[in-house]
Amino acid sequence: MKVFCGRSNPELSREICGYLGIELGKCIIHKFKNDNTFVRIEENVRGKDVFVIQTSAPPVNDYFMELLIMIDALKHASARRVTAVLPYYPYARSDKKDQPRICITARLVADLLESAGADRVLTMNLHAEQIQGFFGIPVDQLLASPILCDYFSRNGVENCIVVAPDAGSAKRAERYARQLGLPLAILDKRRDPLNDTVEIYHIIGDVSGKNAIVFDDEIATGGSMIETAHALLSHGARDIHAGAVHAVLCGNATQKLQESPYKQIVVTNTLPIEGGKKIPKIKVLSVAQLFGEAIRRIHEAKTLSELFGKHL
């Protein structure tokens, strides 16, 4: 087994290799003056089972092209199998044709990964589970719910209620509520697809006098999460916490979240959280052990289903 990584999240890649007890594979990646990406694998991979870790961090298009070139380079270096490890899947929100004359870009990403030579994909908490059906190769989707639920369980969930920020996330939030043994509330939220603004109409469930934990798959601009917090406060909720898998944190999201009513925002490191994105309210949990164990089990042809119900 060999594990390589692109430049999107090297810290997570080193953590994964630390769990596996192996060294990160050596490769050279740089850009020529004409903005073309160059990749050279610096060790023998002939006949090896290779995993390439690359998450969808900015600059998204550069890092995705980098991944495609790495996969192609490994296949042409006679790697036996190449698994693309995508902690955060590129263009995951473009999963359907909800406007005329647009691209279902998440499907295009799948086509490009297969064309480059990927034999398998390992990812975490897809925005829409139908993305797995865009592939003609095996796709394993890990879930961060055991990690997030374990954190909240250890830090107390007395008098709490789990909140789904919209009807579309109700199924995901129900999974968290079931694992934590808590009731569930759902917000009736409408989003304008053109300017990405949201409006909350109703709350299904009683949040009055309770501490709320809002779960979502990702935090992008933070606008939706903040609107959710204000709606919960207006309906009598007490302390409000948030749990999200992917901390996309676009623009000034971190500043808005720091000034928001949330007591704490718990995320994972599927995306790097560096520089100005590090704020006191954000708690980062590592997914390295979960990905490391999944990689080990894929390499040894063992089941992954046991990983969905426990935290390592």
Side-chain angles (χ1 to χ4, degrees):
M1 176 170 59
K2 294 277 188 180
V3 176
F4 292 85
C5 76
R7 295 178 294 179
S8 61
N9 197 347
E11 184 176 344
L12 174 60
S13 303
R14 286 191 288 269
E15 281 188 57
I16 291 171
C17 286
Y19 176 81
L20 292 169
I22 63 175
E23 290 189 6
L24 192 60
K26 297 179 178 61
C27 65
I28 292 174
I29 304 171
H30 71 82
K31 275 196 170 188
F32 292 115
K33 292 181 180 179
N34 63 359
D35 205 40
N36 290 357
T37 298
F38 172 83
V39 174
R40 185 173 71 209
I41 308 302
E42 290 285 277
E43 52 189 271
N44 179 27
V45 295
R46 184 177 296 273
K48 303 293 184 182
D49 190 12
V50 180
F51 297 81
V52 185
I53 304 169
Q54 185 82 307
T55 199
S56 185
V60 173
N61 295 336
D62 282 1
Y63 285 150
F64 182 59
M65 191 65 195
E66 187 176 289
L67 172 63
L68 297 177
I69 295 172
M70 290 184 74
I71 292 170
D72 185 76
L74 288 162
K75 293 297 286 189
H76 282 88
S78 300
R80 177 173 59 84
R81 180 175 68 177
V82 177
T83 299
V85 182
L86 309 169
Y88 179 53
Y89 187 88
Y91 289 92
R93 298 181 70 90
S94 301
D95 61 290
K96 56 186 176 296
K97 189 173 182 179
D98 53 3
Q99 299 179 48
R101 297 177 297 281
I102 66 169
C103 174
I104 304 175
T105 321
R107 190 216 63 237
L108 177 60
V109 166
D111 293 342
L112 292 169
L113 287 167
E114 290 191 56
S115 295
D119 299 293
R120 192 179 194 102
V121 169
L122 175 63
T123 188
M124 173 168 275
N125 284 82
L126 291 166
H127 179 67
E129 293 186 354
Q130 69 255 26
I131 292 174
Q132 290 177 282
F134 295 162
F135 287 88
I137 57 176
V139 178
D140 295 301
Q141 178 192 206
L142 299 176
L143 301 177
S145 51
I147 297 173
L148 292 169
C149 287
D150 179 70
Y151 175 84
F152 282 107
S153 294
R154 286 187 286 105
N155 287 274
V157 291
E158 292 80 14
N159 193 34
C160 283
I161 187 168
V162 168
V163 178
D166 53 49
S169 61
K171 185 177 179 181
R172 289 192 296 265
E174 191 274 334
R175 183 183 295 122
Y176 290 101
R178 185 168 8 98
Q179 290 189 29
L180 290 169
L182 296 174
L184 175 68
I186 303 170
L187 272 65
D188 177 16
K189 180 182 72 177
R190 316 289 169 85
R191 181 184 296 274
D192 187 327
L194 295 179
N195 57 25
D196 206 34
T197 58
V198 298
E199 188 172 352
I200 295 168
Y201 292 87
H202 305 287
I203 295 181
I204 304 166
D206 182 15
V207 300
S208 179
K210 295 181 180 177
N211 300 317
I213 309 174
V214 182
F215 283 106
D216 210 347
D217 61 326
E218 66 178 59
I219 304 176
T221 64
S224 177
M225 293 290 278
I226 293 168
E227 288 293 331
T228 298
H230 286 300
L232 292 170
L233 286 175
S234 69
H235 283 73
R238 296 173 61 190
D239 291 344
I240 305 174
H241 303 262
V245 182
H246 309 297
V248 182
L249 302 176
C250 306
N252 64 341
T254 48
Q255 179 184 343
K256 291 191 297 183
L257 290 168
Q258 183 61 34
E259 297 169 355
S260 74
Y262 285 100
K263 298 278 286 186
Q264 189 176 45
I265 299 152
V266 184
V267 299
T268 76
N269 62 343
T270 58
L271 289 160
I273 301 176
E274 302 167 329
K277 290 186 177 183
K278 290 183 176 180
I279 58 173
K281 280 192 178 181
I282 291 183
K283 169 70 175 177
V284 183
L285 306 178
S286 179
V287 295
Q289 292 187 21
L290 190 55
F291 270 99
E293 184 61 23
I295 288 171
R296 185 195 305 281
R297 288 173 183 240
I298 290 171
H299 174 65
E300 297 176 354
K302 294 181 178 178
T303 181
L304 299 187
S305 59
E306 295 175 4
L307 301 182
F308 299 136
K310 68 178 183 179
H311 172 50
L312 297 172

